[in-house]
Every structure is written in structure tokens, then in C-alpha cells.
Amino acid sequence: MKTRSLTIAMLSLLLTVPFLARALDIQPYTATALQQAQASGKAVAVHFHADWCATCKAQARVFESLRGDPQLKGITLLVANYDNERELKKAMNVRSQSVVVVFRGSKETARIGGETKPEKIKAALATAL
């Protein structure tokens, strides 16, 4: 009986660890998600991603690698489709794909374009904390 309870407890822990380890929250862009994060003063970044863009794909791999970084806990990364989000690009004055705009609430704290070095991307995201 003890073995079974211990096994169930260990399985539960193993299933929850990946969710706990994710510090950087990556979500698809929605206007509502951005508005809510900004209205509540949270750290939020928008990545203008294009599926055809090699730099964007490299950035996506970096963001995935940063998901578990505890120093980025509390930051939400919203991935916006560069080809479809024309109004958002205009509002944020974005003219090319692979741009990341970082906010603390509604205040812009960093903007990077074409950057693929993990330490520089992390530093830009950390400006919102």
C-alpha cells in the first residue's frame, strides 16, 4: 500500500514539474491578452514572428530555451503573426519581422530586431521586471 501511494505521489510530482519550471510564459498574441497585461502593469513582450523567417525561427528556439529560466518568471511573450497583424505593427511602429517589443505595463522598456543571441534576448526581456 505504501509503495502504491509513493508511486502515485512521484508520478504526480513528475507531471507537475514541467509546468512549474516554465518561467517565461509563451502564448499566441491576442489583443485582449496584451491589453490585460498592460492594464495590470505586468511584464509582457510581443514577438513579431513570420513562419517564413529564418531569424524568427532561431528566436523561437531561444525563447523556448528561456522558458525555464527563473529570472524571467512573470514575463509573458505574445507571438504575433507578422503577416497578419497589420494594425498592431502600425501601432507599435514595427516595420520588419523578428522584432521583439518589451513592456512593463504600457511603458516600452526594450526593443530588439533580428537578435538571436540568448543573452541579449534575455537582457531585453529582463528590462520589464
Side-chain angles (χ1 to χ4, degrees), residues 44-55:
V44 63
V46 180
H47 177 213
F48 288 87
H49 177 90
D51 291 337
W52 47 264
C53 169
T55 301

Side-chain angles (χ1 to χ4, degrees), residues 27-98:
Q27 302 175 13
Y29 165 81
T30 65
T32 302
L34 179 59
Q35 289 168 353
Q36 288 176 344
Q38 288 184 319
S40 62
K42 292 184 178 178
V44 63
V46 180
H47 177 213
F48 288 87
H49 177 90
D51 291 337
W52 47 264
C53 169
T55 301
C56 298
K57 291 176 184 178
Q59 288 172 321
R61 287 189 295 273
V62 172
F63 290 129
E64 283 297 324
S65 74
L66 293 173
R67 267 193 148 156
D69 191 321
Q71 293 177 341
L72 298 178
K73 186 169 179 64
I75 299 177
T76 299
L77 176 71
L78 301 175
V79 181
N81 183 309
Y82 177 78
D83 296 318
N84 296 338
E85 295 297 340
R86 289 180 176 87
E87 290 301 315
L88 181 63
K89 290 189 300 189
K90 185 177 179 181
M92 291 190 183
N93 197 27
V94 170
R95 297 188 177 145
S96 65
Q97 72 282 359
S98 76

Side-chain angles (χ1 to χ4, degrees), residues 1-51:
M1 190 65 149
K2 284 184 180 182
T3 306
R4 183 174 182 211
S5 297
L6 183 60
T7 302
I8 291 171
M10 291 299 289
L11 281 173
S12 297
L13 180 63
L14 288 174
L15 291 173
T16 31
V17 166
F19 297 108
L20 294 174
R22 296 190 191 271
L24 177 63
D25 182 21
I26 303 173
Q27 302 175 13
Y29 165 81
T30 65
T32 302
L34 179 59
Q35 289 168 353
Q36 288 176 344
Q38 288 184 319
S40 62
K42 292 184 178 178
V44 63
V46 180
H47 177 213
F48 288 87
H49 177 90
D51 291 337

